[in-house]
Amino acid sequence: GSILSNMLLVLGCAFFAGGLAHPNRDQVFNKASAVVNSGLLLMAVLGLMFPAVLHFTHSEAHYGKSEVSLSRFSSCIMLVAYASYLFFQLKSQRSLYSPIGEEEESTEDEEDEKEIAQGEAISWLFVLTIWISILSGYLVDAIQGASESLNMPLAFISVILLPIVGNAAEHASAIMFAMKNKLDITLGVAIGSSTQISMFVIPFCVVIGWMMGEEMDLNFQLFETATLFITVLVVAFMLQEGTSNYFKGFMLILCYLIVAASFFVHVDPKSSDNK
């Protein structure tokens, strides 16, 4: 849900707001960084697709084991790819991924004073992370009851409503930077966050579950996986030119409305096994 929200709603609203703030020209961002992120997202879809296809086509060599083994292997590969991406972007080819117009904005950034110190920022980040993890536990326990009381599908609440609320800060910051014509930061917030979730968080959870003896896999059901695949393709086509305008943002928002409507009428099939 966070991946879909970041790529369609957050990025779409940012492009739309940035286009309205700069109506007479297309905004420009670093095409190389956007293409690499699109490739990583497609690789994440590849890793998520085959366990689902393997499960629903009943073509496992060892029923109940091949799907988990493939998911664990793919998770390790995705983690290696993400670590290589960080090294490639931050060390090996750092100059290629510097934001467009960084030299012109450096003088403005120097004038901005630091609001909090680095140690204070790390302390707040640590405290808020623990607090959010505690609240997440209560939230997960309340989703089922909320679904029944509101008469809404569980998939719609967990994939559409919760990510919109959870991504409110990212949503606001992405729009703010887009209106300031800093689209590279906007892409870092929206696309970079989606890349981190799909290439690091999800595989890392599978590996941690493996260490704990839990049989977690990358099977997110065919409907969810197909939705993610189409979303990544749409966003990749939008980013391939390295420019944005309000019309591209409007199209991304409309795509998100279609996805939201699809999940509103979708109910996950009940699994016959105990996984």
Side-chain angles (χ1 to χ4, degrees):
S2 294
I3 299 174
L4 297 176
S5 175
N6 282 326
M7 288 196 298
L8 293 178
L9 183 62
V10 175
L11 188 63
C13 290
F15 279 1
F16 185 76
L20 293 181
H22 305 275
N24 297 325
R25 59 186 177 88
D26 286 347
Q27 293 180 285
V28 181
F29 54 84
N30 193 322
K31 181 179 177 181
S33 178
V35 170
V36 171
N37 277 283
S38 299
L40 286 173
L41 288 171
L42 287 172
M43 181 180 179
V45 171
L46 188 72
L48 298 176
M49 179 179 295
F50 284 109
V53 173
L54 193 68
H55 176 81
F56 287 97
T57 57
H58 304 286
S59 57
E60 298 177 78
H62 303 282
Y63 183 77
K65 295 182 179 180
S66 298
E67 179 184 346
V68 176
S69 299
L70 176 60
S71 298
R72 291 171 175 174
F73 177 79
S74 299
S75 297
C76 294
I77 296 298
M78 291 162 70
L79 289 175
V80 171
Y82 187 73
S84 302
Y85 160 70
L86 293 180
F87 177 81
F88 180 78
Q89 184 182 34
L90 300 178
K91 296 293 184 181
S92 177
Q93 304 289 337
R94 185 175 182 178
S95 60
L96 295 178
Y97 295 92
S98 58
I100 294 178
E102 185 178 27
E103 296 78 4
E104 300 176 358
E105 298 169 0
S106 59
T107 56
E108 300 178 2
D109 296 337
E110 291 176 356
E111 297 177 357
D112 297 335
E113 297 181 358
K114 295 181 179 180
E115 297 182 0
I116 57 176
Q118 182 178 3
E120 186 179 357
I122 296 176
S123 300
W124 274 110
L125 182 63
F126 179 75
V127 172
L128 291 175
T129 300
I130 296 178
W131 180 242
I132 291 175
S133 64
I134 296 174
L135 293 179
S136 299
Y138 290 105
L139 182 63
V140 171
D141 296 335
I143 289 179
Q144 185 65 44
S147 175
E148 296 174 357
S149 61
L150 297 175
N151 195 24
M152 288 185 180
L154 182 63
F156 180 79
I157 295 178
S158 58
V159 177
I160 302 300
L161 294 184
L162 288 183
I164 291 178
V165 178
N167 293 338
E170 295 180 347
H171 202 155
S173 61
I175 293 177
M176 179 186 66
F177 286 120
M179 295 182 68
K180 292 182 179 180
N181 202 26
K182 298 182 179 180
L183 277 186
D184 290 290
I185 301 180
T186 296
L187 290 177
V189 172
I191 304 300
S193 177
S194 300
T195 303
Q196 184 184 59
I197 294 173
S198 59
M199 291 295 293
F200 175 74
V201 177
I202 295 176
F204 186 71
C205 290
V206 173
V207 173
I208 293 298
W210 185 10
M211 295 178 180
M212 297 173 61
E214 299 290 337
E215 292 188 350
M216 298 181 65
D217 55 50
L218 297 176
N219 178 15
F220 282 85
Q221 309 296 329
L222 285 179
F223 184 85
E224 287 81 355
T225 305
T227 303
L228 179 61
F229 176 59
I230 297 174
T231 298
V232 171
L233 286 182
V234 170
V235 174
F237 278 113
M238 293 290 183
L239 299 179
Q240 65 179 351
E241 294 180 351
T243 60
S244 73
N245 49 58
Y246 71 90
F247 182 67
K248 287 186 177 181
F250 185 62
M251 286 192 292
L252 290 176
I253 295 174
L254 294 181
C255 289
Y256 187 76
L257 293 179
I258 295 176
V259 171
S262 301
F263 276 97
F264 188 78
V265 297
H266 168 71
V267 177
D268 287 326
K270 294 182 179 181
S271 178
S272 59
D273 47 36
N274 294 326
K275 294 171 51 179

